[in-house]
RNA sequence: GUCCCCAUCGUCUAGAGGCCCAGGACACCGGCUUUUCACGCCGGGUACGCGGGUUCAAAUCCCGCUGGGGACGCCA
């Protein structure tokens, strides 16, 4: 059974790049009927905190990337926090020392810094490498802290067949006797990673491109341990719109920000999947399709740039594909903290009708709320400039007459209502335009919204009449808080 | 500086030697629809970085160059 892991370090929120790595890993596990393992890499205590770990779990939960083993759910290969696995790392490291492929290094960070500085001062162009101070020594001092380093043979090269990039070989000359275990007993990234992947029986490791350089040292560790390495999949980076490393300056990078902005998790998944992965000309995918169609072969090799407009388009498309029930649920949730609305309109069908009219002009849930809110308030919030432009004295008089027409109609059925209105307009030699805009503003407070007859249908006769007549008397208003 | 990765429209990409004087999507520009704004529909422009090979044939294979990105920690 395939075992794939996602191993974030809790240094902050889960960003887009991490989310995509998690997604691809999850997709592979699910498509293979395998296990998706979540491990928290929190060995660098200085930079880590609980809140970050929780934010990452929350992000994954929201995205629907459920894990079979890891924090909260446990599993047979725990613990799933590196900070709780110190004994395991120590054990592996000492085993390597005993076997003679790794050694204790008593050099202090200060000594090493001095050596590094000297190297820099010498003007040498070669990168600094640990000079092998303790490589062959066994005169270990008592009670001194020591790090454990791997003995690396500088000859030859180390390589692997990457699942997305193909064959990669890196000369061992570029390696050095790197540290496995720090003097404080905590493992360095490469070592902790290998020990955990090994003891958690992971067989596919997917991670960002920036880890390509970590792979040779890890391979060397597997070799020293006498173990088979897993397969690696290095995903190209997600860059900012101008090609730099994606950061907060360029976009919302935390997935939770998209949740809060009213994006749908499936839309985030879809957009992320299409950044670097493709399936012919198809752009829109459900989560199930992604699982069915995903493969490493169709993951691209070059970096992709983040494009907010395309993301929004994908989001809008997914929003429009939601069932009326789900949509209503999402809108209700968004409305739950809105004290101004009259909850009676939530239950009598008004909400559902209103949502149906809003869906073509909204890309996110908050945008749906913006366009239908008029129908849930006792009276509309008037947009000042729309009011000034359309609610002229003449227009208000017309609206009052229109209200009278509506009151006299035998039916509230939209097509009949429209026919009657057309006749009424024709008799006065007026265009639809002359009525629609003032009416829209009177009814919704906004100059941009659904079609007039849709709005009338949403509001019903009583509320429509009231608003049309109020336009003449109470306006221009502003006491509700004028939005522009 | 050293090592590694990458290279098709503005952006995401399709393309695994002839189907490609390069297809789709977003964006952009026109138009239609029209009661505003959208949605929708129709149409348009724009790309294989450069130079060498290999081949009857190259966006596709090879080499070089250029350009971009990444990594060079007792960080992850």
């Amino acid at each position: 059974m395939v075992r794939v892991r996602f191993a974030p370090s809790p240094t902050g929120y889960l960003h887009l790049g991490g989310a995509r790595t998690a997604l691809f890993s999850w997709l592979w596990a699910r498509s293979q009927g395998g296990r998706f393992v979540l491990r928290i890499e929190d060995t660098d205590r200085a930079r880590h905190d609980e809140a970050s770990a929780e934010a990452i779990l929350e992000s994954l939960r929201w995205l629907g990337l459920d894990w079979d083993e890891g924090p909260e759910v446990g599993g047979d290969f725990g613990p799933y926090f590196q900070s709780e696995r110190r004994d395991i790392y120590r054990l592996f490291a000492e085993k390597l020392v005993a076997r003679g492929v790794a050694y204790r290094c008593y050099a202090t960070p200060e000594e090493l810094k001095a050596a590094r500085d000297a190297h820099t001062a010498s003007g040498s162009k070669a990168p600094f490498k640990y000079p092998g101070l303790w490589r062959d020594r066994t005169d270990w001092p008592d009670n001194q802290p020591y790090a454990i380093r791997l003995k690396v043979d500088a000859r030859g090269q180390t390589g692997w067949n990457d699942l997305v990039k193909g064959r990669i070989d890196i000369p061992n000359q570029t390696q050095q006797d790197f540290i496995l275990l720090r003097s404080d007993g905590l493992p360095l990234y490469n070592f902790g990673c290998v020990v955990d992947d090994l003891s958690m029986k992971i067989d596919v490791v997917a991670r960002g491109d920036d880890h390509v350089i970590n792979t040779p040292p890890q391979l060397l560790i597997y070799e020293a341990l006498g173990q088979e390495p897993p397969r690696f999949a290095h995903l190209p980076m997600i860059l900012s719109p101008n090609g730099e490393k994606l950061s907060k300056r360029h976009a919302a990078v935390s997935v939770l920000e998209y949740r809060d902005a009213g994006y749908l998790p499936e839309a985030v998944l879809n957009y992320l999947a299409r950044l670097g992965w493709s399936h012919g000309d198809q752009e829109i995918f459900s989560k199930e399709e992604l699982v069915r169609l995903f493969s490493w072969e169709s993951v691209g090799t070059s970096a992709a740039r983040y494009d907010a407009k395309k993301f929004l388009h994908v989001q809008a498309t997914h929003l429009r594909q939601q069932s009326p029930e789900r949509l209503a649920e999402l809108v209700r949730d968004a409305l739950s903290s809105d004290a101004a609305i009259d909850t009676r309109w939530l239950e009598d069908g008004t909400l559902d009708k209103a949502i149906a009219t809003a869906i073509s002009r909204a890309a996110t849930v908050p945008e749906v709320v913006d366009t239908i809110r008029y129908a849930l308030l006792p009276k509309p919030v008037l947009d000042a400039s729309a009011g000034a432009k359309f609610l002229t004295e003449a227009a208000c008089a017309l609206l009052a007459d229109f209200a009278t027409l509506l009151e006299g109609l035998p039916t509230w059925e939209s097509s009949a209502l429209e026919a009657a209105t057309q006749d009424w307009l024709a008799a006065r030699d007026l265009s639809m335009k002359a009525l629609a805009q003032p009416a829209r503003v009177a009814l919704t407070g906004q100059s941009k919204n659904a079609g007039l007859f849709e709005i009338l249908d949403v509001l019903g006769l009583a509320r429509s009449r009231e608003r049309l007549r109020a336009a003449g008397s109470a306006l221009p208003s502003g006491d509700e808080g004028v939005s522009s």
Side-chain angles (χ1 to χ4, degrees), chain A residues 157-209:
Chain A
Q157 55 182 10
T158 301
W160 72 100
N161 292 312
D162 198 90
L163 286 170
V164 344
K165 289 178 181 290
R167 184 71 197 177
I168 298 177
D169 285 293
I170 295 173
N172 287 350
Q173 296 222 8
T174 62
Q175 303 299 330
Q176 59 174 321
D177 287 357
F178 56 87
I179 289 178
L180 265 20
L181 210 61
R182 306 198 293 211
S183 51
D184 64 3
L186 288 170
L188 232 49
Y189 171 72
N190 281 328
F191 188 59
C193 189
V194 167
V195 169
D196 289 342
D197 285 338
L198 218 40
S199 46
M200 292 179 182
K201 300 201 181 319
I202 299 302
D203 42 37
V204 172
V205 170
R207 58 188 19 168
D209 225 346

Side-chain angles (χ1 to χ4, degrees), chain A residues 101-143:
Chain A
V101 292
Y103 59 92
R104 294 184 180 188
C105 172
Y106 286 87
T108 63
E110 293 70 33
E111 281 179 80
L112 290 171
K113 177 160 193 319
R116 188 183 305 274
D117 290 347
H119 176 266
T120 309
S122 78
S124 165
K125 285 176 180 162
F128 174 75
K129 282 170 78 164
Y130 170 73
L133 272 18
W134 288 81
R135 188 170 211 196
D136 302 306
R137 290 172 66 172
T138 46
D139 54 326
W140 299 334
D142 292 329
N143 303 319

Side-chain angles (χ1 to χ4, degrees), chain A residues 80-406:
Chain A
Y80 293 91
F81 286 87
Q82 285 193 327
S83 57
E84 296 168 16
R85 300 173 62 83
R86 302 174 60 139
D87 297 347
I88 304 174
Y89 307 124
R90 173 111 256 157
L91 210 67
F92 273 77
E94 294 295 356
K95 189 160 50 169
L96 289 175
V97 172
R99 208 181 278 176
V101 292
Y103 59 92
R104 294 184 180 188
C105 172
Y106 286 87
T108 63
E110 293 70 33
E111 281 179 80
L112 290 171
K113 177 160 193 319
R116 188 183 305 274
D117 290 347
H119 176 266
T120 309
S122 78
S124 165
K125 285 176 180 162
F128 174 75
K129 282 170 78 164
Y130 170 73
L133 272 18
W134 288 81
R135 188 170 211 196
D136 302 306
R137 290 172 66 172
T138 46
D139 54 326
W140 299 334
D142 292 329
N143 303 319
Q144 289 292 312
Y146 60 89
I148 293 179
R149 289 181 183 268
L150 189 73
K151 247 181 218 176
V152 176
D153 187 340
R155 294 168 301 183
Q157 55 182 10
T158 301
W160 72 100
N161 292 312
D162 198 90
L163 286 170
V164 344
K165 289 178 181 290
R167 184 71 197 177
I168 298 177
D169 285 293
I170 295 173
N172 287 350
Q173 296 222 8
T174 62
Q175 303 299 330
Q176 59 174 321
D177 287 357
F178 56 87
I179 289 178
L180 265 20
L181 210 61
R182 306 198 293 211
S183 51
D184 64 3
L186 288 170
L188 232 49
Y189 171 72
N190 281 328
F191 188 59
C193 189
V194 167
V195 169
D196 289 342
D197 285 338
L198 218 40
S199 46
M200 292 179 182
K201 300 201 181 319
I202 299 302
D203 42 37
V204 172
V205 170
R207 58 188 19 168
D209 225 346
D210 48 341
H211 282 284
V212 164
I213 210 70
N214 285 318
T215 309
Q218 293 186 13
L219 254 10
L220 260 15
I221 297 172
Y222 282 104
E223 200 180 309
L225 249 15
Q227 300 286 332
E228 273 304 301
R231 309 201 70 188
F232 294 95
H234 287 98
L235 278 11
M237 313 249 73
I238 297 176
L239 269 23
S240 74
N242 48 12
E244 300 168 322
K245 197 163 182 171
L246 188 61
S247 78
K248 276 180 259 193
R249 285 210 322 283
H250 314 288
V253 284
S254 160
V255 323
L256 259 18
E257 290 178 69
Y258 290 94
R259 176 198 62 185
D260 298 343
Y263 280 61
L264 261 18
E266 50 267 54
V268 177
L269 259 21
N270 189 158
Y271 180 67
L272 252 21
R274 283 289 292 105
L275 237 38
W277 174 86
S278 62
H279 179 71
D281 286 340
Q282 191 173 342
E283 296 286 349
I284 301 300
F285 299 86
S286 69
K287 201 168 150 191
E288 292 67 34
E289 282 179 297
L290 254 18
V291 169
R292 183 152 44 78
L293 268 15
F294 181 80
S295 76
W296 296 113
E297 292 78 59
S298 39
V299 173
T301 48
S302 55
R305 299 188 190 201
Y306 172 86
D307 181 354
K309 288 206 173 123
K310 178 127 185 198
F311 193 174
L312 190 61
H313 172 261
V314 170
Q315 155 62 22
T317 305
H318 277 274
L319 187 74
R320 284 167 199 146
Q321 286 178 353
Q322 300 305 310
S323 68
E325 295 72 27
R326 172 100 197 279
L327 240 21
E329 188 185 321
L330 290 165
V331 172
R332 278 202 176 82
D333 283 351
L335 248 19
S336 63
S337 59
D338 190 335
I341 64 160
D342 185 334
T343 54
R344 116 175 83 149
W345 309 117
L346 259 31
E347 306 304 333
D348 71 342
T350 298
L351 180 71
D352 298 323
K353 271 188 195 172
I355 291 174
T357 71
I359 203 65
S360 74
R361 63 206 98 222
T364 63
V365 172
E367 285 173 13
V368 172
V369 169
D370 280 348
T371 87
I372 68 170
R373 198 161 172 271
Y374 75 89
L376 309 172
L377 295 169
K379 57 179 182 177
V381 179
L382 181 68
D383 176 274
S385 66
K389 183 168 180 192
F390 295 108
L391 297 181
T392 60
E393 230 172 283
C396 289
L398 182 70
L399 293 179
D401 284 356
F402 183 54
T404 305
L405 168 75
L406 296 180

Side-chain angles (χ1 to χ4, degrees), chain A residues 12-63:
Chain A
Y13 42 77
L14 179 66
H15 57 86
L16 260 17
R20 193 188 54 169
T21 300
L23 169 63
F24 286 7
S25 302
W26 182 89
L27 287 173
W28 183 244
R30 291 290 170 261
S31 70
Q32 300 304 114
R35 308 272 286 176
F36 181 57
V37 179
L38 180 61
R39 176 175 81 228
I40 304 296
E41 308 222 325
D42 56 350
T43 51
D44 182 11
R45 63 285 95 130
R47 293 168 58 199
H48 296 160
D49 60 272
E50 283 292 298
S52 297
E54 182 43 46
I56 290 169
L57 298 188
E58 178 53 27
S59 300
L60 292 171
R61 272 191 295 261
W62 179 69
L63 288 170

